[in-house]
Amino acid sequence: MMDLTKHFKKGVAEVKTSAILNFAKYSSQYPGVVKFTVGEPDFNTPDHIKTAAIKGIVDNHSHYAPSNGTPGLKKAASDFLKRRYDMEYSPDEIIVTNGATEAIYTVMSAIINPGDVVVLPAPIFPLYIADAALEKAEVVQIDTSSTGFKLTPEQLQAAVDEYGDRLRVLVMNYPTNPTGVMYSQEELNALAEVIKGRPTFALCDEIYSELNYDQEHASMAKAIRDQAIVLNGVSKSWAMTGYRIGIMAAPSELTEQLAKVHQFITTTEPTPMQDAAEEAFKNGDEDAERMKAAFKERRDYLYDALTDLGFDVIKPQGAFYIWAKIPEGLNQNDTEFVYELCDKAKVGVCAGSWFAKGGQGWLRFSYATALDDIKEGVSRIKKFVEDETNGSK
């Protein structure tokens, strides 16, 4: 039999299956396992948003919506960005996408030519790396572990000096998955100044924008609007991961080109789901605030608990992840560590090395789970640490 796998696009062979999802599946074999793995809110979608989806079905919104999104959702998204973040995008500058995931793929496939350079601060969610590799880009990971897990203007300038006009896309995700760090507007302005006026796009993934605990949300798009493509959506802030609705905002001349690729990837998004997302953007500010308050309580508990257990913890300023270094005296191979923790303690966490450079020896805890489950997980981790420490003596 002919091996047709040899004739796939070369970039596909370089893409590995998600270590995060593989481990989540592995951990599920244990009944009662406490999961700090997948970044999905444990809340249910607010009732008024569910009602909007149901109404869309009852009203026979069962036909194709315009490829770029329903007028109502695009207007609601435009108003949301202005109301919440003072960002000006007209409805015509917004594309409704199949979550931020499709938006990232659309941007990469629309912009990148083979050999173009994509720069990203690491550790970072691996999706961007896989999408860039599929387009045969040269992916440059800048290790930020020595700079507080934030990209600095000096690091970015070094990349510009090395790659010049080949540097086509700078990926910025904030609040950041996996570390939970946030950039101030001044920090983003300084980074923007490095690439301002260059043939470089800033891909600003702001899907966690509503989950900032200690400061106002900032955006690089405010500094270089003409070069920025802003991603957002309803998945994280309104517990709507299954609705698969994201938004992509950019100047009209960029949106016009991005829309060409988007329409062939997904045609359009489900109309009743767009009705629900419209309701979230219009009338869901308080929902997001309530969820944020619960996440903050969980963050504070988990931060204190892991610190007490000897972990070096980066206190997150946003999103719902804690980034913690494995204590000395325990297995420093983070992948081996998470499998041991799962097998022995029935607790699932993510290995830092799954998030690219700078993650070795670290762990990502998602606290998008109930506080009681978090407390049970901490109790199990405490026993595991004590058993491993005593056993090593």
Side-chain angles (χ1 to χ4, degrees):
M1 180 183 295
M2 181 183 296
D3 183 6
L4 289 177
T5 62
K6 296 179 180 178
H7 301 282
F8 273 77
K9 185 177 181 178
K10 290 182 179 179
V12 173
E14 299 172 12
V15 174
K16 295 179 173 59
T17 57
S18 170
I20 301 168
L21 296 181
N22 290 343
F23 179 71
K25 182 178 179 180
Y26 176 87
S27 65
S28 296
Q29 69 179 299
Y30 294 113
V33 65
V34 177
K35 292 185 178 182
F36 295 92
T37 47
V38 180
E40 178 176 27
D42 63 314
F43 302 105
N44 290 319
T45 304
D47 286 343
H48 69 102
I49 297 174
K50 290 188 287 187
T51 298
I54 294 168
K55 185 176 186 302
I57 295 170
V58 172
D59 290 347
N60 295 311
H61 292 179
S62 54
H63 304 283
Y64 287 127
S67 180
N68 283 7
T70 62
L73 175 51
K74 293 198 297 177
K75 174 67 163 55
S78 172
D79 291 345
F80 167 80
L81 292 174
K82 173 61 177 175
R83 180 178 74 252
R84 298 294 288 170
Y85 311 127
D86 197 27
M87 297 169 68
E88 299 271 2
Y89 289 97
S90 71
D92 288 341
E93 293 180 311
I94 290 174
I95 298 173
V96 178
T97 62
N98 192 302
T101 300
E102 183 250 310
I104 294 165
Y105 183 77
T106 293
V107 170
M108 297 291 190
S109 58
I111 290 174
I112 294 171
N113 286 301
D116 283 348
V117 172
V118 174
V119 167
L120 44 85
I124 197 167
F125 193 66
L127 174 65
Y128 314 100
I129 299 172
D131 283 356
L134 283 170
E135 301 307 318
K136 300 181 182 178
E138 181 178 348
V139 180
V140 177
Q141 303 175 31
I142 298 179
D143 186 345
T144 64
S145 59
S146 63
T147 55
F149 296 102
K150 290 185 181 182
L151 181 67
T152 68
E154 293 76 19
Q155 289 171 321
L156 182 56
Q157 185 62 58
V160 168
D161 292 342
E162 182 170 355
Y163 301 104
D165 288 351
R166 289 178 57 214
L167 201 169
R168 189 67 61 239
V169 179
L170 168 66
V171 175
M172 294 294 295
N173 163 230
Y174 44 81
T176 302
N177 178 7
T179 63
V181 302
M182 183 62 201
Y183 292 81
S184 68
Q185 190 62 55
E186 291 72 23
E187 289 170 326
L188 291 174
N189 290 348
L191 291 168
E193 196 63 31
V194 177
I195 61 169
K196 187 175 183 178
R198 303 190 63 85
T200 301
F201 295 84
L203 176 56
C204 305
D205 186 348
E206 303 180 8
I207 192 65
Y208 297 100
S209 63
E210 286 291 280
L211 301 178
N212 288 306
Y213 307 116
D214 305 314
Q215 65 183 70
E216 294 296 319
H217 177 68
S219 178
M220 185 177 281
K222 291 184 177 181
I224 46 170
R225 185 184 190 277
D226 60 331
Q227 293 174 239
I229 302 169
V230 177
L231 311 185
N232 212 308
V234 296
S235 293
K236 309 298 185 179
S237 302
W238 289 278
M240 296 172 66
T241 54
Y243 287 64
R244 305 311 305 138
I245 298 295
I247 59 168
M248 176 164 50
S252 56
E253 61 271 19
L254 302 186
T255 301
E256 182 179 349
Q257 300 305 313
L258 293 166
K260 295 178 184 178
V261 177
H262 161 77
Q263 67 181 329
F264 289 114
I265 291 175
T266 190
T267 304
T268 185
E269 311 318 320
T271 311
M273 301 301 99
Q274 295 194 56
D275 294 338
E278 178 182 341
E279 173 65 16
F281 281 133
K282 275 185 176 179
N283 301 311
D285 290 359
E286 291 185 6
D287 302 320
E289 286 296 323
R290 283 193 293 269
M291 292 184 191
K292 181 169 72 172
F295 285 136
K296 187 175 185 296
E297 181 183 12
R298 299 171 185 183
R299 176 201 70 167
D300 293 343
Y301 174 83
L302 188 56
Y303 173 82
D304 290 340
L306 291 176
T307 300
D308 289 344
L309 290 177
F311 288 83
D312 180 10
V313 186
I314 303 297
K315 191 169 188 177
Q317 299 164 303
F320 39 64
Y321 306 107
I322 271 189
W323 190 242
K325 190 168 182 59
I326 300 172
E328 292 184 10
L330 299 177
N331 188 347
Q332 295 298 300
N333 183 311
D334 52 276
T335 297
E336 292 179 0
F337 181 94
V338 299
Y339 277 92
E340 290 172 0
L341 181 65
C342 185
D343 293 339
K344 296 179 181 180
K346 308 301 183 288
V347 175
V349 303
C350 290
S353 59
W354 298 344
F355 298 90
K357 279 187 178 179
Q360 293 72 20
W362 291 79
L363 306 171
R364 189 197 75 171
F365 293 76
S366 169
Y367 50 90
T369 191
L371 184 57
D372 286 345
D373 290 337
I374 292 173
K375 290 179 179 179
E376 174 61 26
V378 167
S379 177
R380 296 181 188 184
I381 293 169
K382 180 179 180 181
K383 185 177 185 305
F384 173 83
V385 170
E386 290 172 349
D387 289 347
E388 293 296 304
T389 302
N390 293 333
S392 66
K393 291 180 179 179

